């Protein structure tokens, strides 16, 4: 069986691994920059709020096996239950409305609200990028894995066509007729050969 040494797409796609590395590197740098700003704003929250029940802070959590799910920042509310502290995760929507505003938090409520507004923007940007990375990885893996059986079946059909074509005398070369066909070829096969 005669196979092409280099297909046209091989040369075009040869840069894909390097482009992928560059893309992931850019995403990693962007996430690290966001994470650094989130950590700075968490320190601001620590300074603005007294260590009492109801304060909001960032908690870094492992939420999966992928690199983007490790140490994911989430905004939480700290609540004292007896002699233990517990956290309640606050969703990404309406974070500013979830900030403490009364009691021990009254004097700094405006600064806390502004800090959480900035955190909300950063957390949403981070979540969108992570979702994009996960969707890309899932789509590529799904497409490659899903079509392996179909490609194996197609390989057999192509090999059959190559074998049939090899049994016929060559009458065409580079689009030019160089001889006459000496054996019978059905109209279907002739149309197929003509289209190649």
């Amino acid at each position: 069986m005669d196979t092409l040494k280099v297909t046209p797409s091989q040369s075009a796609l040869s840069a894909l691994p390097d482009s992928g590395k560059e893309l992931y590197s850019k995403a990693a740098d962007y996430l690290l920059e966001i994470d650094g700003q989130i950590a700075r704003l968490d320190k601001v929250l620590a300074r603005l709020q007294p260590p009492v029940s109801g304060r909001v802070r960032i908690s870094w959590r492992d939420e999966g096996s992928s690199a983007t799910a490790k140490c994911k920042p989430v905004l939480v509310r700290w609540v004292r239950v007896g002699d233990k502290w517990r956290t309640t995760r606050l969703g990404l929507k309406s974070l500013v409305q979830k900030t403490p505003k009364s009691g021990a938090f009254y004097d700094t409520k405006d600064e806390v609200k502004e800090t959480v507004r900035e955190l909300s923007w950063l957390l949403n940007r981070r979540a969108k990028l992570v979702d994009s990375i996960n969707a890309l990885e899932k789509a590529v893996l799904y497409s490659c894995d899903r079509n392996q059986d179909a490609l194996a079946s197609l390989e057999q059909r192509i090999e059959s066509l190559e074998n049939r074509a090899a049994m016929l005398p060559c009458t065409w070369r580079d689009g030019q007729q160089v001889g006459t066909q000496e054996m019978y070829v059905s109209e279907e096969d002739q149309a197929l050969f003509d289209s190649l």
Side-chain angles (χ1 to χ4, degrees):
M1 176 170 64
D2 232 9
T3 59
L4 292 172
K5 299 292 183 209
V6 176
T7 66
S9 60
Q10 276 178 306
S11 60
L13 296 176
S14 64
L16 193 59
D18 292 334
S19 297
K21 286 179 190 174
E22 186 179 318
L23 183 69
Y24 276 99
S25 179
K26 188 172 188 169
D29 291 345
Y30 182 66
L31 286 173
L32 290 172
E33 184 178 353
I34 288 175
D35 287 354
Q37 292 176 353
I38 288 171
R40 289 175 63 197
L41 288 171
D42 184 49
K43 288 179 183 176
V44 171
L45 284 177
R47 286 189 206 112
L48 291 174
Q49 301 173 96
V52 297
S53 191
R55 67 185 170 164
V56 293
R57 294 284 308 274
I58 290 293
S59 177
W60 298 85
R61 300 186 174 174
D62 286 343
E63 297 190 342
S65 59
S66 72
T68 55
K70 292 184 184 222
C71 289
K72 177 181 176 182
V74 294
L75 192 67
V76 296
R77 181 181 311 282
W78 285 88
V79 179
R80 190 169 193 127
V81 180
D83 60 343
K84 294 186 178 183
W85 286 96
R86 303 210 186 262
T87 60
T88 304
R89 182 180 181 160
L90 304 176
L92 288 178
K93 293 184 180 179
S94 306
L95 288 179
V96 175
Q97 282 77 26
K98 298 173 185 175
T99 58
K101 299 170 187 73
S102 59
F105 303 100
Y106 183 76
D107 292 336
T108 58
K109 67 178 180 180
D110 293 333
E111 289 80 7
V112 169
K113 187 186 279 189
E114 188 176 338
T115 304
V116 170
R117 184 177 293 117
E118 300 296 351
L119 273 170
S120 177
W121 188 87
L122 288 168
L123 291 170
N124 278 299
R125 296 293 82 68
R126 189 184 197 284
K128 284 182 181 180
L129 180 60
V130 168
D131 288 347
S132 297
I133 292 169
N134 291 339
L136 172 65
E137 290 175 350
K138 188 176 180 179
V140 169
L141 291 174
Y142 177 77
S143 181
C144 292
D145 292 345
R146 182 171 184 239
N147 293 314
Q148 284 304 316
D149 292 340
L151 283 175
S153 175
L154 180 62
E155 171 69 25
Q156 293 172 349
R157 294 194 307 272
I158 291 172
E159 191 171 324
S160 173
L161 282 170
E162 287 173 337
N163 291 338
R164 287 167 54 197
M167 292 189 308
L168 297 173
C170 181
T171 59
W172 294 89
R173 184 169 290 124
D174 297 328
Q176 300 295 317
Q177 190 166 5
V178 293
T180 59
Q181 205 119 21
E182 297 175 10
M183 56 191 308
Y184 172 75
V185 177
S186 71
E187 290 180 13
E188 267 180 29
D189 286 345
Q190 186 62 49
L192 177 64
F193 295 134
D194 289 345
S195 70
L196 296 178

